[in-house]
Amino acid sequence: MLMNYGYDSLNCFTLILCGEPHLNNTLRKPVHEALRQRITVHYNFTGLTDSEVAQYVLHKISCAGGSASIIEQAALSAVHSHSQGNQRLVDNLMTNALTLGAQMEKKSIDTEVILASVSSQNLG
C-alpha cells in the first residue's frame, strides 16, 4: 500500500482527502478503518461566516470587473443564510442570482433575486 511506502526514513507520498461532509461518514465504516487510522490530520470546515461570504462574493465580483454596488448587503446576508458558508453553494447561488437578476432587468441583486435563486435550486 502506498501509504506505508518510505524511502531512507522519508515519507515520499502524501495523500490529501478532501470532500463533502459525507466523506467522514464513509471513512467511519469498518471497511475503511485501516485508511482512517493512517490519517494524521483531520480538519472539518464549517463554512464561511456572514462577513466572509460577503467578502468572498464581492472579491469574485471585483475580479470579474464588476462593482460592489451590483449586490445589496441584505442580499449578501441571504446568500450566507441559504448556503451556510459553503463556497460551492455560494458560487451556484450567485451564478443563478446574476442570471435571474438580468432576466428580471434588476439594477442590483437584492434579497428577492436571492430568494428566487434559492427557490429555483431547491436550496431551502
Side-chain angles (χ1 to χ4, degrees):
M1 183 170 174
L2 288 174
M3 296 295 289
N4 290 335
Y5 180 74
Y7 180 73
D8 290 339
S9 70
L10 281 198
N11 288 330
C12 296
F13 182 76
T14 300
L15 175 65
I16 298 174
L17 295 174
C18 179
E20 295 291 319
H22 67 268
L23 177 61
N24 286 329
N25 296 333
T26 301
L27 289 173
R28 284 190 198 103
K29 293 180 180 177
V31 70
H32 300 298
E33 181 67 21
L35 175 60
R36 192 177 60 75
Q37 289 174 358
R38 288 174 173 81
I39 297 173
T40 57
V41 177
H42 296 262
Y43 179 77
N44 292 316
F45 181 68
T46 57
L48 301 174
T49 65
D50 191 41
S51 64
E52 289 171 331
V53 166
Q55 291 173 0
Y56 177 74
V57 170
L58 293 173
H59 173 73
K60 291 193 96 167
I61 290 170
S62 173
C63 287
S67 169
S69 64
I70 198 170
I71 186 166
E72 296 177 2
Q73 189 62 40
L76 290 169
S77 292
V79 169
H80 175 261
S81 174
H82 291 286
S83 68
Q84 298 178 1
N86 180 314
Q87 290 106 317
R88 183 178 52 81
L89 295 178
V90 169
D91 290 343
N92 292 341
L93 185 58
M94 283 304 303
T95 298
N96 197 33
L98 290 168
T99 301
L100 288 173
Q103 291 170 351
M104 298 165 75
E105 298 181 359
K106 294 278 191 171
K107 296 293 182 197
S108 66
I109 303 300
D110 56 15
T111 52
E112 176 189 3
V113 176
I114 298 300
L115 294 176
S117 179
V118 168
S119 294
S120 71
Q121 292 186 342
N122 298 319
L123 291 178

